[in-house]
Amino acid sequence: MPKIWGDKIPPRNKNFTGREALLEQLHAGIASDVTAVVPHALHGMGGVGKTQVAVEYAWRYASDYDVVWWIAADQALLVPAALAALAPRLDLPPVKAVGIEDTAAAVLDALRRGEPSDRWLLIFDNADQPEDINRLIPRGPGHVLITSRNQEWRSVVDTVPVDVFTKGESVQFLHKRVSNSLQEADAQRLADELGHLPLALEQAGALQAEAGMSVEEYLQQLARHMPDTLQDPKPLDYPRSMTAAWRLSVSQLEQQMAEAVDLLRCCAFFGPDPIPVDVFRWGADGAGPGLQELLDKPLLRSKAIRVIGRYALAGLDPENRTLQVHRLIQALLRADLDDEEQDRFRKVVHRLLASARPGDPENEANWPRYSELVRHIVPSEVAFTRDPEVRDFALNMVRYLYRSGQHQQGLTFAGDFLRQWTLDSGPDDRHVIAAQAQMGSVQRELGDYPGAYETDRAAWERAKQVLGDEHEMSLFISQGLGADLRARGDFAEATRHEEQVLQAHISALGRPHLEVLNATNNLALDYALISNYTRARSMHEEVYNASSKRTDVSKVSHLIFWGNLVRVVRLCGDYEEACDLAEEAHAFGVKELDIEHWVTLRTAKDWSIALRRSGRYDEASALAQDVLERSTRLYGPTHPDTLAAAMNNANAMRTTGRINAAFDLAAQTMERYPGVYRPEHPYNHGCAGNLALMHRVRGDAASARKLNEQCLEALDDRLTRDHHYSLTVAINLASDLTALGELTRAQQLGDDTLQRTRQLLGETHPLTLGCAANLSVILRRTGSEDEADALLAGTLVHYGRVLGPNHPDAVVAREQRQLDFDFDPPPI
């Protein structure tokens, strides 16, 4: 067997019959593609046995492969999750570390490169949407097999038609399925009547084996049901003999156990994927007397499931405790009910899904249960429910998708629910508001900051109006809106907003509540963004200490709080303390989460910055490069975390003398920033300041001056001059002017910047010391030797106490060279 054998691969069919020429043709075709492997699609109508051929191919040729993976592809948006599930088996980061989309992309990239093996087989079953699935099919050294009813695959891949059984195969199958004693003539008559369709033959064989019905009697019964099929205007591309065979099986099932038929009809309104039998344990309101009795009695329920399986109306998997009804059977069952009955059974399924009790979607332990149910959301049309409990379940499903990293699917579900529920219940319905809130969260995680802001703002206003300011939904949305404001670059407005949010949380929930801790953390982020580092540090310490003592804080949240403390300690100028904190936090992330978990990577990036600030340039550069490579591979080049990692790496390369490479990376990153944040966002101007600095280091002080002047004007307008970002650019601009010989203006700017920096950050903050050291250089060049000596002497004393006399900044200051300062954008 292959080293990696997917747990979704169906068991081998002991009654599989014939298809030898088809399997040999398929294997020869795939194997002949030596240089560029082309996917192959098994194409044919429903019930013809495409999936069974794919199953047999996987088992028969398993030894040709190191990896065999099965993907249910009928819902295109869920295919990335199935691909991502392969990641840990390929030694790639798991889904919980980086999210579904990025993990799936990493899997596809590994398969294309043939790592860790080029002997792989991926089977996409029921892939009826080529336009959505094709982009998720790897083209590489391995093999891809597709099953589909859609003829459009012919223009995309090599297709292999799958037809009904030959007469010989039909007879052979019936001998296996019914009995070897079945007469050849009887088997041929039966096969001819059923059009040699494998699914119809399976139904007929199961019924005869179960009921002991003779072929003659079966054909008589089939003839009685056949006229009914001619009157049914069903839009199905199946032979009418299939409908007749199905009706006959259901009729016999009803005679043996009437309750089982209602259970089967219920299954018709789930998806065609495996249904966990546990969903039937809790019952459902409105199920009707017969079905409710069956649901309420475990022994009766188990018997009904077994009988359905024996009549081949559903496939049973005792090991995984699931049953699965073929989509053709589901379609026939639904079509046989009038609109009122369809509506009743659909509502029963909704209640069964909601009653399955998967638990809190924030808790990872409950994610496997949600994963079992997610594929039934769209087929069962949950978006059309008006049942409050079912809507609560639907919103929990969106939250699960968001927390587990399946953001695109979460956005789709949230959008579907929001649109339909608004039509059905109006914009003031609490579930409509909740769907809007969930949609805003997913939009923000996907990087759609403008969309998230508009969604959250509208939802918050509606929630306050309908539910009240202190309702938990209003409070939840208010936290998201604070993050939206930070993403817009409205730092002062975000701070005012989050101050009110924190007070509202305390008033409504009380200080010990976990959400109060989150609100406090968010406000501390705002204070750091307006350069109030002392207050931010105090609050982050409070949150971190409380988090360390509580048992209801997840490891992810704890590391987030820890990483925020690392950052603000470094921003306060305590570089060595920040290094120690970051090293410990990173070790925690690697041990408890994963080295490539998104929070661990953020912690590593902040550790790299702290190392650089402390003067340990080589260590910082190595770590920065590692974080950038991982972030790019996992998130792509335009993700906000990747952009921040790229800028950190450019800054690190500059400190280690790789100026040209640093300049190229900074310029490339600068071009990408406005695509994520608005053009006027302070991060864009801060990063442009880094590029300006590198212009001067490369000898182009004129370009540096021009760019720094633009950055400073924009930052002054956005943040005022009394902000860390503005002052950093002002210090560098003074150095540009000095290099250009404009000493008078350089001295004026240096004097003003030093006073402001002392006022904002304190006398001994490293940025203040660097500003003073640079000013002493300017004073010396203007002939103010005494003033320069006095300023330098005091500055060096402070350097010795704060960073140590051998810190690179202290050495540069002592040698009367000008210091350069860069910017690192923090996460929103």
Side-chain angles (χ1 to χ4, degrees), residues 534-758:
T534 302
R535 191 167 186 182
R537 177 172 182 167
S538 175
M539 295 178 72
H540 277 309
E541 285 179 348
E542 174 190 340
V543 170
Y544 170 72
N545 290 334
S547 170
S548 300
K549 298 172 184 176
R550 297 179 65 134
T551 58
D552 59 343
V553 177
S554 70
K555 293 172 182 176
V556 171
S557 293
H558 183 59
L559 186 55
I560 288 173
F561 298 152
W562 202 342
N564 290 341
L565 179 59
V566 168
R567 191 179 312 111
V568 77
V569 167
R570 185 246 305 163
L571 290 169
C572 285
D574 296 324
Y575 299 152
E576 288 298 333
E577 184 179 352
C579 285
D580 293 341
L581 273 172
E583 184 174 12
E584 190 178 356
H586 185 255
F588 173 88
V590 171
K591 178 182 177 183
E592 301 295 343
L593 300 173
D594 188 278
I595 194 171
E596 291 189 338
H597 189 282
W598 60 275
V599 186
T600 309
L601 279 176
R602 283 187 184 175
T603 306
K605 186 207 69 176
D606 277 310
W607 184 17
S608 170
I609 298 170
L611 288 168
R612 172 159 46 88
R613 294 281 190 258
S614 69
R616 294 150 67 177
Y617 296 149
D618 290 337
E619 292 177 66
S621 183
L623 184 55
Q625 180 67 34
D626 180 68
V627 172
L628 176 58
E629 289 175 355
R630 294 178 189 273
S631 297
T632 303
R633 172 168 51 83
L634 297 169
Y635 312 137
T638 60
H639 189 279
D641 284 1
T642 304
L643 295 178
M647 193 53 70
N648 171 44
N649 194 42
N651 291 335
M653 287 194 290
R654 177 184 58 81
T655 62
T656 54
R658 292 172 289 166
I659 306 301
N660 290 332
F663 180 87
D664 292 341
L665 179 57
Q668 184 183 70
T669 306
M670 260 290 301
E671 292 177 358
R672 291 172 174 162
Y673 254 96
V676 177
Y677 300 98
R678 296 193 302 176
E680 66 271 22
H681 196 289
Y683 288 4
N684 293 319
H685 305 305
C687 291
N690 289 344
L691 188 62
L693 165 60
M694 293 180 198
H695 272 300
R696 175 163 45 80
V697 173
R698 280 160 47 104
D700 187 359
S703 295
R705 169 191 173 173
K706 180 179 179 180
L707 184 52
N708 267 329
E709 286 178 336
Q710 295 172 354
C711 295
L712 187 57
E713 181 181 0
L715 289 170
D716 283 351
D717 181 62
R718 190 76 175 167
L719 302 175
T720 79
R721 181 64 61 90
D722 295 314
H723 190 282
H724 192 162
Y725 302 174
S726 306
L727 294 171
T728 299
V729 173
I731 293 171
N732 289 335
L733 177 57
S735 296
D736 299 338
L737 295 169
T738 303
L740 292 169
E742 298 184 32
L743 299 180
T744 301
R745 189 181 167 202
Q747 182 178 340
Q748 292 173 346
L749 182 58
D751 278 328
D752 178 73
T753 304
L754 179 58
Q755 298 309 313
R756 292 177 185 274
T757 307
R758 284 172 172 168

Side-chain angles (χ1 to χ4, degrees), residues 270-333:
F270 284 89
D273 295 282
I275 305 166
V277 296
D278 283 345
V279 301
F280 301 109
R281 288 176 54 194
W282 309 106
D285 295 341
L291 181 57
Q292 189 61 56
E293 181 183 8
L294 183 145
L295 295 175
D296 288 342
K297 295 182 177 180
L299 294 179
L300 189 63
R301 186 174 66 244
S302 296
K303 179 182 177 183
I305 291 172
R306 289 197 303 273
V307 172
I308 289 172
R310 287 201 296 266
Y311 278 86
L313 292 165
L316 308 184
D317 185 346
E319 182 178 347
N320 293 310
R321 292 180 49 76
T322 63
L323 73 159
Q324 187 171 10
V325 180
H326 193 283
R327 64 189 65 242
L328 187 154
I329 305 292
Q330 287 181 313
L332 292 170
L333 284 163

Side-chain angles (χ1 to χ4, degrees), residues 392-442:
D392 286 340
F393 161 75
L395 290 170
N396 278 346
M397 183 62 74
V398 176
R399 193 66 182 168
Y400 150 72
L401 292 168
Y402 167 72
R403 295 295 289 179
S404 63
Q406 302 176 67
H407 300 130
Q408 193 58 57
Q409 180 70 1
L411 183 66
T412 300
F413 278 16
D416 289 347
F417 299 156
L418 180 59
R419 282 187 295 273
Q420 190 60 47
W421 296 352
T422 302
L423 287 174
D424 292 342
S425 306
D428 291 344
D429 180 81
R430 72 175 180 89
H431 289 103
V432 171
I433 297 171
Q436 200 169 10
Q438 297 284 16
M439 188 170 179
S441 295
V442 182

Side-chain angles (χ1 to χ4, degrees), residues 31-53:
S32 68
D33 297 327
V34 178
T35 55
V37 176
V38 178
H40 285 65
L42 295 169
H43 171 262
M45 67 178 176
V48 81
K50 301 180 295 295
T51 296
Q52 290 301 320
V53 171

Side-chain angles (χ1 to χ4, degrees), residues 121-379:
L121 170 66
L122 263 62
I123 299 173
F124 292 80
D125 188 37
N126 287 307
D128 291 331
Q129 301 172 15
E131 65 278 8
D132 295 325
I133 300 295
N134 192 36
R135 67 180 180 85
L136 297 170
I137 293 177
R139 268 68 171 182
H143 298 161
V144 172
L145 186 56
I146 300 162
T147 74
S148 179
R149 292 174 297 175
N150 195 328
Q151 297 184 17
E152 292 181 9
W153 280 111
R154 293 175 179 173
S155 62
V156 180
V157 300
D158 283 351
T159 56
V160 179
V162 181
D163 205 345
V164 296
F165 276 155
T166 65
K167 183 172 290 191
E169 289 173 333
S170 294
V171 171
Q172 184 184 0
F173 174 82
L174 286 171
H175 281 312
K176 281 185 179 180
R177 191 66 181 84
V178 183
S179 169
N180 284 326
S181 62
L182 182 68
Q183 295 297 313
E184 186 88 5
D186 287 341
Q188 288 186 9
R189 287 174 59 205
L190 185 58
D192 288 341
E193 287 295 324
L194 294 174
H196 302 276
L197 186 70
L199 184 60
L201 292 169
E202 169 69 14
Q203 300 251 280
L207 181 58
Q208 291 175 76
E210 178 65 22
M213 187 182 295
S214 68
V215 171
E216 189 65 35
E217 184 182 0
Y218 182 88
L219 291 175
Q220 290 175 0
Q221 295 284 347
L222 188 69
R224 291 194 187 102
H225 286 85
M226 193 71 77
D228 295 339
T229 68
L230 299 176
Q231 300 170 11
D232 292 336
K234 298 183 180 68
L236 301 174
D237 57 346
Y238 310 119
R240 59 190 178 95
S241 58
M242 176 62 233
T243 308
W246 158 76
R247 281 225 174 106
L248 179 53
S249 294
V250 171
S251 174
Q252 293 295 316
L253 175 65
E254 191 165 25
Q255 291 179 29
Q256 180 172 345
M257 190 178 183
E259 304 95 326
V261 177
D262 273 350
L263 183 63
L264 182 63
R265 287 171 177 153
C266 210
C267 292
F269 293 90
F270 284 89
D273 295 282
I275 305 166
V277 296
D278 283 345
V279 301
F280 301 109
R281 288 176 54 194
W282 309 106
D285 295 341
L291 181 57
Q292 189 61 56
E293 181 183 8
L294 183 145
L295 295 175
D296 288 342
K297 295 182 177 180
L299 294 179
L300 189 63
R301 186 174 66 244
S302 296
K303 179 182 177 183
I305 291 172
R306 289 197 303 273
V307 172
I308 289 172
R310 287 201 296 266
Y311 278 86
L313 292 165
L316 308 184
D317 185 346
E319 182 178 347
N320 293 310
R321 292 180 49 76
T322 63
L323 73 159
Q324 187 171 10
V325 180
H326 193 283
R327 64 189 65 242
L328 187 154
I329 305 292
Q330 287 181 313
L332 292 170
L333 284 163
R334 291 193 299 267
D336 213 41
L337 299 171
D338 60 31
D339 291 345
E340 184 177 343
E341 282 293 283
Q342 286 192 33
D343 185 61
R344 181 173 77 85
F345 277 106
R346 189 173 288 110
K347 287 178 178 177
V348 169
V349 169
H350 293 168
R351 294 290 298 177
L352 289 171
L353 289 170
S355 301
R357 302 177 186 177
D360 181 5
E362 304 281 336
N363 188 340
E364 289 181 2
N366 297 324
W367 289 0
R369 176 64 65 87
Y370 278 102
S371 178
E372 290 178 335
L373 303 178
V374 68
R375 301 191 68 88
H376 300 284
I377 298 297
V378 173

